[in-house]
Amino acid sequence: MDETFLEEQRHLSEIYATLLEMRDELNADLDVRQKGMAQDLIDMSEEVSLDFVGADETMETLAAIETLNSVIDTYNQYHDYSVDKLRRILLLLMRPYFAKVRLQMRPGRPARDIYIGAAGITDEHKTPLIVDWRSPVAETYYNQEMGQTSYLVDGKLRTVNLELRRQFDITRDKLNMYFDTTVAIEDSLLLGALKRHHSEKLQAITATIQREQNQVVRHDDVPALLVNGIAGSGKTSVMLQRIAFLLYRQRETLSPSQVYLFTPNSVFESYIDHVLPSLGEANPQTFTWASFMEQQGLSERSDGAATSPNELRRLESLLPSLELEEDDLRGISVEGVQLLKPFQVKASVNKFASQFSVGPRLATLVKDDLHEKVERRLAQLAKDDELQEELLGLDVDEQVEIFGRTVDAVDEEDLVSYTEQYARHKFEQAHDLIERGSWLRVDRIGMRMLGAKALSAAEWLYLKLLITGSPERDARYVMIDEVQDYTVTQLMVLARYFTRAHFLLLGDEHQAIYEGTATFDQVKELFTQTHGDIEECLLRTSYRSSPEITELFASLLDEEERISLSSVRRPGVVPVMRSFDDRDAYLAALREAVEEACGQEGLTAIVTAEKARRSWLHRQLGDKVASIHRGDALPASGVVVMDLALAKGLEFDHVIIPDAQEEVYPDTALSRRRLYTALSRAMHKVTIFSQGQMTPLLEGQTA
């Protein structure tokens, strides 16, 4: 038996037993402390005497209350720490670690073994048992440099000697296999992972992040980063690993709610929603362009993706000369009660208009003034007989909910005071309306500026941002996947909406399947203007597709670009291409391919160019094929039919392209990109059918 294997199995067994012991102790401790904490707080609170008669007594009372609050805070901090530790232990019990590096930290000193896992854990002496893959020292594993290598700690470069880089295939406390590796092409763990069949959910690539991917994951925190990667290069996986990396490195200051992720569609959103939770992190706020516009209350109008960016630039150029008219403004009303009239809003605008032009500074001053006016209006309403009667008509539960106690108005002054509190409760939405800029008639302003009969959602939102500023001040990071499918207009809106956030933009220009979307040069120009700078990373290796499939979709690129692409997979199956002049023969071959796919492992996708073709094929192929629509989740196996727009970003064991005829994919730049996208969804096998003449884009390819 391999002595190294036995030694590593012994170490794994010891670590696993320690993790189990930690888990059980934490569970017991949390249970005891929860009960003990409750009793401690009861005892302490009973000892506090609320005595405010004299100065000394008041000071003693306040000190006792402060002590009680301090104890509560300590309990909460301990509880949060313990729960987080338990979460990490439970994650590690599924696979304690996936790698080990042996590092000589200083010349002449013995080397140290460091085990790397999805989370980090220390023993009772604070000695690391397993280090988190996101920790600085773990970078030595991802650098893939034997001998002298380095990593950053608090901005300082630390040079060490890497003597061993070992990978493990582990299931709970069982060591299945280990590999000693040096360079990427010998990455046995990666090659093993790539052999596996498609799963209905994207899997974390923590153990197999390659060097070029790691450069993105651990990239410096810059205002904007563009990741330009070929199909199958792991862009989406890298993006999710970077989110996990940022959440770890900025754990004290960054929460998932401050990270926004834009995905191509809801099917894709469902496909990736498991990755971050599997790493012990919560998912960020996730949107498609459509759902983002819906959140803004703009779903009823044209989404504006096709709006010319020149219209947005016109709004920018016209803003300095804009003067708000009274008809551009509306009053503030809540529950049918008008608290402020339009002329009062106009008076607030006029108060500052001579000093500031229309824009965020003016809007801030106007909002402050409107808040004050609403407060004065609520004070007036406190003396209103009807509102006082309404207050006195509240039942006991309503009174307790609003005031925390029952109403006990002993005189007129008390009644007015209670009524003013009630008015603030009843009309609290007024302040939200002011903050949201509801006092602006954006449509009227925009139509007047552009001479248009209506505004698209993009125009409306952009003008609102120009006038009031960005409403999203807490957003720290915005990730946009498949950025090549966004128009300049969409990116202009997002860059201004999230003006304070750092952007990660991922895409492949060759997968731009729509006309009129932003080129990468336009993306760079835009974010240089809005964020001061943009850096770029290239991913040129395909981890998804076999060499045969990679060669096929790479044949659609210019020769220069073709040379720089590669696949790390083992040789696979040669793509099958067949043309049929007869529709019955075409459908018979397609049904035969579906029948064969149903008997195989993994998931097969029939990817059509358009939705209409998807619907027609589904009717022809029957119940053996599931038709995938927006909002659907992918199955783990079987055969699905879906249009290209929904297939973007996904991967399948086998892809069947059923409409590769010249009429559907003519020799145009757009068709070339669409076919490249469809072909590159495949991991192991591609079958191409055409009903009629095969597209000239595939001329000369092996049939």
Side-chain angles (χ1 to χ4, degrees):
M1 174 63 80
D2 182 346
E3 281 299 320
T4 300
F5 185 94
L6 293 174
E7 181 184 335
E8 292 292 2
Q9 178 61 67
R10 279 194 294 272
H11 180 79
L12 173 61
S13 299
E14 289 171 9
I15 290 290
Y16 200 82
T18 301
L19 290 172
L20 287 174
E21 187 178 343
M22 286 180 170
R23 180 200 64 185
D24 295 342
E25 286 178 357
L26 269 174
N27 271 328
D29 190 39
L30 281 168
D31 187 47
V32 169
R33 279 185 176 270
Q34 284 284 69
K35 294 173 184 174
M37 179 183 74
Q39 189 58 51
D40 285 350
L41 294 177
I42 290 169
D43 294 343
M44 285 188 68
S45 63
E46 288 178 349
E47 291 173 9
V48 175
S49 175
L50 299 180
D51 187 351
F52 298 100
V53 175
D56 291 342
E57 290 81 359
T58 299
M59 291 299 292
E60 286 182 17
T61 299
L62 292 176
I65 292 172
E66 187 176 345
T67 300
L68 180 60
N69 287 334
S70 175
V71 172
I72 292 171
D73 288 342
T74 301
Y75 272 124
N76 286 338
Q77 289 168 10
Y78 177 84
H79 179 270
D80 292 345
Y81 168 79
S82 298
V83 169
D84 179 65
K85 186 174 182 180
L86 181 59
R87 174 189 61 77
R88 284 181 281 127
I89 289 170
L90 294 175
L91 178 64
L92 292 172
L93 282 171
M94 291 185 278
R95 180 172 63 165
Y97 45 81
F98 55 80
K100 163 180 155 179
V101 289
R102 183 169 294 153
L103 299 176
Q104 186 183 39
M105 297 298 189
R106 294 179 185 173
R109 295 282 186 90
R112 284 172 49 197
D113 285 346
I114 296 171
Y115 288 83
I116 302 169
I121 205 77
T122 59
D123 63 16
E124 67 273 18
H125 305 297
K126 303 299 181 185
T127 302
L129 299 176
I130 302 164
V131 303
D132 194 296
W133 68 275
R134 296 163 289 188
S135 68
V137 71
E139 190 171 357
T140 58
Y141 168 73
Y142 295 109
N143 284 343
Q144 297 177 341
E145 296 173 334
M146 298 303 292
Q148 190 175 88
T149 187
S150 60
Y151 60 97
L152 283 172
V153 183
D154 297 328
K156 295 179 181 178
L157 191 68
R158 183 160 188 183
T159 301
V160 295
N161 190 55
L162 177 61
E163 296 183 357
L164 176 74
R165 181 178 182 270
R166 181 167 290 165
Q167 298 173 307
F168 302 104
D169 180 4
I170 289 172
T171 307
R172 296 191 178 275
D173 61 346
K174 181 186 177 186
L175 176 61
N176 301 313
M177 205 175 297
Y178 77 90
F179 317 94
D180 287 347
T181 61
T182 54
V183 294
I185 200 63
E186 297 172 6
D187 194 328
S188 305
L189 208 60
L190 171 66
L191 296 175
L194 296 180
K195 288 180 184 176
R196 296 176 189 142
H197 288 285
H198 158 89
S199 63
E200 68 271 29
K201 297 285 186 182
L202 182 67
Q203 303 300 306
I205 61 165
T206 311
T208 59
I209 295 172
Q210 299 303 290
R211 187 171 182 178
E212 65 173 7
Q213 297 172 327
N214 188 53
Q215 289 172 351
V216 178
V217 173
R218 284 177 154 80
H219 198 283
D220 290 343
D221 193 4
V222 294
L225 178 62
L226 175 64
V227 178
N228 183 350
I230 68 162
S233 58
K235 294 182 294 296
T236 300
S237 295
V238 164
M239 173 188 68
L240 295 168
Q241 301 288 152
R242 177 153 177 83
I243 292 173
F245 177 79
L246 291 169
L247 290 171
Y248 173 81
R249 287 294 181 92
Q250 303 177 45
R251 188 161 297 283
E252 299 301 318
T253 59
L254 180 66
S255 73
S257 65
Q258 294 173 298
V259 181
Y260 288 71
L261 170 57
F262 283 82
T263 67
N265 52 63
S266 52
V267 174
F268 185 81
E269 185 178 328
S270 171
Y271 177 59
I272 66 173
D273 65 9
H274 178 72
V275 174
L276 285 167
S278 75
L279 296 172
E281 302 289 355
N283 278 318
Q285 300 201 53
T286 308
F287 293 95
T288 61
W289 174 257
S291 65
F292 177 68
M293 283 302 173
E294 184 178 354
Q295 188 197 54
Q296 309 305 314
L298 300 171
S299 57
E300 296 301 316
R301 62 179 78 206
S302 162
D303 71 5
T307 297
S308 168
N310 291 331
E311 295 301 285
L312 304 191
R313 296 186 185 110
R314 275 184 67 202
L315 290 172
E316 281 187 67
S317 65
L318 292 169
L319 191 70
S321 60
L322 175 65
E323 292 185 9
L324 294 176
E325 303 171 355
E326 188 171 324
D327 286 345
D328 293 334
L329 308 168
R330 58 164 59 96
I332 300 295
S333 298
V334 178
E335 295 195 12
V337 177
Q338 189 171 51
L339 300 175
L340 296 180
K341 296 180 179 179
F343 80 86
Q344 292 174 292
V345 177
K346 183 64 168 75
S348 293
V349 172
N350 290 344
K351 185 174 178 180
F352 306 103
S354 61
Q355 300 168 270
F356 303 96
S357 59
V358 175
R361 177 62 178 150
L362 176 64
T364 298
L365 293 169
V366 170
K367 286 189 284 188
D368 289 344
D369 203 53
L370 294 178
H371 285 307
E372 291 178 12
K373 286 182 176 179
V374 164
E375 284 300 307
R376 291 197 294 272
R377 176 74 169 120
L378 295 179
Q380 292 171 354
L381 284 173
K383 299 173 184 177
D384 182 80
D385 291 340
E386 287 187 16
L387 196 63
Q388 289 179 355
E389 288 296 324
E390 190 176 312
L391 163 69
L392 295 171
L394 295 174
D395 62 34
V396 172
D397 289 340
E398 290 172 323
Q399 292 175 31
V400 172
E401 181 184 345
I402 296 169
F403 303 103
R405 60 185 183 280
T406 57
V407 173
D408 183 20
V410 296
D411 54 27
E412 183 65 23
E413 187 178 343
D414 268 1
L415 182 58
V416 169
S417 176
Y418 275 114
T419 308
E420 187 169 346
Q421 292 178 61
Y422 178 57
R424 284 200 177 89
H425 170 79
K426 181 172 182 176
F427 302 114
E428 63 182 348
Q429 188 190 357
H431 292 294
D432 293 333
L433 293 173
I434 291 170
E435 283 301 312
R436 294 204 303 265
S438 298
W439 43 277
L440 287 161
R441 297 178 65 186
V442 177
D443 275 305
R444 187 183 189 280
I445 298 168
M447 289 188 293
R448 182 156 56 85
M449 293 173 74
L450 297 176
K453 294 183 178 179
L455 296 186
S456 69
E459 289 168 328
W460 190 97
L461 182 54
Y462 199 75
L463 178 56
K464 176 88 172 292
L465 295 170
L466 287 174
I467 296 174
T468 64
S470 170
E472 197 47 70
R473 299 183 180 182
D474 290 335
R476 297 270 302 281
Y477 295 96
V478 176
M479 317 291 184
I480 302 180
D481 206 1
E482 305 287 349
V483 70
Q484 75 280 347
D485 286 335
Y486 285 74
T487 63
V488 172
T489 292
Q490 289 173 300
L491 295 175
M492 285 177 70
V493 170
L494 294 177
R496 186 167 287 273
Y497 190 92
F498 298 102
T499 186
R500 299 185 182 187
H502 285 189
F503 276 75
L504 177 63
L505 311 153
L506 306 100
D508 176 3
E509 280 193 287
H510 304 301
Q511 293 186 64
I513 64 171
Y514 306 110
E515 290 282 15
T517 52
T519 66
F520 277 16
D521 284 341
Q522 289 174 317
V523 172
K524 293 174 193 175
E525 181 183 358
L526 170 61
F527 280 91
T528 299
Q529 291 171 356
T530 61
H531 284 66
D533 189 26
I534 184 168
E535 297 188 21
E536 184 175 9
C537 289
L538 302 178
L539 299 177
R540 285 291 176 260
T541 304
S542 173
Y543 302 98
R544 174 191 299 144
S545 305
S546 67
E548 293 82 0
I549 296 170
T550 301
E551 184 180 351
L552 181 60
F553 68 69
S555 72
L556 298 168
L557 306 180
D558 294 336
E559 189 171 348
E560 270 184 37
E561 292 179 282
R562 213 179 300 165
I563 292 170
S564 67
L565 306 190
S566 62
S567 168
V568 300
R569 284 183 175 271
R570 303 295 191 204
V573 180
V574 175
V576 173
M577 286 183 274
R578 298 176 65 188
S579 299
F580 301 89
D581 293 327
D582 178 74
R583 192 178 83 165
D584 290 340
Y586 161 79
L587 286 174
L590 195 52
R591 290 184 183 113
E592 184 181 337
V594 168
E595 191 72 36
E596 183 182 346
C598 286
Q600 295 175 343
E601 286 187 76
L603 182 63
T604 295
I606 304 171
V607 180
T608 66
E610 305 294 344
K611 290 181 185 177
R613 184 73 173 176
R614 177 200 67 197
S615 301
W616 182 80
L617 276 175
H618 187 231
R619 290 195 299 272
Q620 307 307 312
L621 298 173
D623 294 338
K624 288 189 176 180
V625 175
S627 182
I628 301 296
H629 302 79
R630 291 189 184 278
D632 292 344
L634 291 175
S637 59
V639 182
V640 299
V641 59
M642 61 198 309
D643 61 271
L644 180 58
L646 277 188
K648 282 187 62 61
L650 306 178
E651 60 183 33
F652 308 93
D653 293 287
H654 179 193
V655 166
I656 298 173
I657 297 177
D659 45 12
Q661 52 266 28
E662 185 174 8
E663 292 81 5
V664 177
Y665 291 103
D667 190 358
T668 65
L670 179 62
S671 290
R672 191 176 293 273
R673 296 195 300 269
R674 291 171 67 81
L675 188 56
Y676 168 98
T677 304
L679 289 169
S680 61
R681 301 306 92 206
M683 298 164 64
H684 307 296
K685 185 177 179 183
V686 162
T687 304
I688 303 169
F689 292 146
S690 71
Q691 192 176 345
Q693 182 72 34
M694 182 71 73
T695 171
L697 297 174
L698 295 177
E699 281 182 2
Q701 298 302 318
T702 304

